[in-house]
Amino acid sequence: HAGRPAVTAGRFAPSPSGLMHLGNARTALLAWLDARARGGRVLLRIEDLDRDRCRPEFAEAIRADLRWLGLDWDEETPAQSTRDEAYHAAVVRLDAAGLVYDCFCTRRELAVASAPHGAADEPPTYPGTCRDLTAERRSQLLAEGRRPALRLRMPDNLPRVVDRVHGVVEGSGGGDIVVRRADGLYAYQLAVVVDDAADGVTDVVRGDDLLPSTGRQVALAAMLGVQVPAYAHVPLVIDEDGVRLAKRHAALTLLALRKAGIRPEALVGAMAASAGLGEGHPARPGELAGGFDIARIRRDPWVPDAAALADAGRV
């Protein structure tokens, strides 16, 4: 990462489509510790691309949960819902370079065309159906009322990623990605690259489930000529069935844990211990930053017990 700024700038970028759960909070804590341990800045960005599911009240609840945990931030950068102009400019640039094309494939067509693949979180590789459409076929599809998405021509071999937790990860997946959906909304893969560059993010700490997408994002950053941040993908928080925590795990939202009587220091201590930091004693985030090294965290997912957390929190 030659030419990287001297000051670390990390970020937490939650999606306000529901209440913050323990998985979100643990990743936020690790991202905060990673930046603060190196004297860096912490940015908060609300990722509200999904206008149907995201709500301002959830964004405010996330801010309140972070403050309750003791996780502060130096700046809140513009929410994704305000950045369409920047996304449009990026697409115009890619189009001028001949890197995007209209894709008329429906989700159903893609589901039929996609071959099974290994990683559960890996998006299906696009089979290239619309990559080389003739002008005649394109006109025909438009005349039928089909609205195209915009898809980006990705290199056959994605760049390798040097992850601060996993080490060298070879480029995988490939396949052309959507940068603007058929309904006109910009896609996450484009938005996150544009956002991190605009916000001056130098270091991204996020969940393991996003590791398969990272090679695509590095390739896209190169196409746009923007700085690639350093990445660290941390283990997920999962339930007893091995399923990643999601909004449906209501008992493990921070609101539910607060109502159960757990104190923020107890929760921070438990989350830290799950990553191999300390013995689980109550702690404030600032007490854990000294000597923190994200490369040393535990690599296995955490299966929390809501009842045990609540009992510990009342002590």
Side-chain angles (χ1 to χ4, degrees):
H1 297 283
R4 286 164 50 79
V7 178
T8 296
R11 49 84 157 170
F12 180 55
S15 174
S17 56
L19 294 171
M20 189 172 177
H21 58 66
L22 204 51
N24 306 138
R26 184 174 180 266
T27 300
L29 173 63
L30 294 174
W32 189 93
L33 290 172
D34 181 58
R36 294 300 191 220
R38 293 182 285 161
R41 302 173 71 236
V42 175
L43 309 176
L44 174 65
R45 180 173 72 235
I46 300 298
E47 294 199 334
D48 54 354
L49 276 179
D50 189 337
R51 314 290 165 86
D52 294 330
R53 296 173 60 226
C54 293
R55 298 279 183 272
E57 57 267 30
F58 289 140
E60 193 47 53
I62 287 168
R63 296 183 190 99
D65 283 338
L66 291 171
R67 293 188 188 103
W68 178 73
L69 284 172
L71 300 176
D72 62 350
W73 55 93
D74 298 287
E75 179 186 354
E76 180 170 346
T77 63
Q80 287 184 329
S81 57
T82 70
R83 298 195 190 216
D84 276 3
E85 192 175 320
Y87 305 148
H88 173 72
V91 167
V92 167
R93 227 168 132 186
L94 295 168
D95 187 30
L99 293 170
V100 296
Y101 60 91
D102 286 343
C103 176
F104 295 87
C105 298
T106 64
R107 290 190 179 206
R108 179 175 296 179
E109 288 166 347
L110 289 177
V112 171
S114 297
H117 47 279
D121 290 306
E122 178 88 4
T125 297
Y126 180 64
T129 310
C130 295
R131 203 176 216 255
D132 299 304
L133 282 183
T134 64
E136 182 182 6
R137 178 59 178 154
R138 181 178 177 278
S139 298
Q140 181 184 5
L141 290 166
L142 288 170
E144 292 172 3
R146 298 272 289 256
R147 287 193 301 171
L150 268 186
R151 204 172 275 277
L152 177 67
R153 298 178 188 274
M154 296 296 283
D156 292 335
N157 297 307
L158 290 176
R160 62 173 53 183
V161 175
V162 182
D163 189 88
R164 296 172 56 216
V165 174
H166 295 269
V168 176
V169 180
E170 294 297 334
S172 64
D176 297 345
I177 60 170
V178 169
V179 290
R180 192 179 68 210
R181 298 180 352 187
D183 61 7
L185 287 181
Y186 293 95
Y188 171 77
Q189 300 278 21
L190 173 81
V192 73
V193 171
V194 172
D195 295 344
D196 283 341
D199 294 347
V201 172
T202 65
D203 290 78
V204 171
V205 176
R206 58 189 186 184
D208 272 348
D209 54 321
L210 292 170
L211 182 57
S213 297
T214 306
R216 295 177 173 88
Q217 292 168 19
V218 171
L220 176 51
M223 293 176 197
L224 291 171
V226 299
Q227 179 68 51
V228 177
Y231 290 98
H233 289 83
V234 299
L236 300 176
V237 181
I238 59 176
D239 66 15
E240 296 85 353
D241 298 319
V243 177
R244 172 169 58 100
L245 287 198
K247 305 294 190 285
R248 66 183 177 278
H249 292 89
L252 290 172
T253 64
L254 266 62
L255 178 62
L257 292 168
R258 245 190 347 262
K259 286 183 175 178
I262 191 168
R263 292 172 296 131
E265 296 87 354
L267 190 57
V268 168
M271 291 191 295
S274 76
L277 311 172
E279 304 298 323
H281 303 304
R284 300 296 289 169
E287 298 166 5
L288 302 169
F292 175 79
D293 182 353
I294 204 161
R296 295 172 164 175
I297 65 169
R298 288 179 56 171
R299 307 290 178 87
D300 51 326
W302 180 33
V303 185
D305 182 326
L309 283 172
D311 287 343
R314 294 191 194 99
V315 176

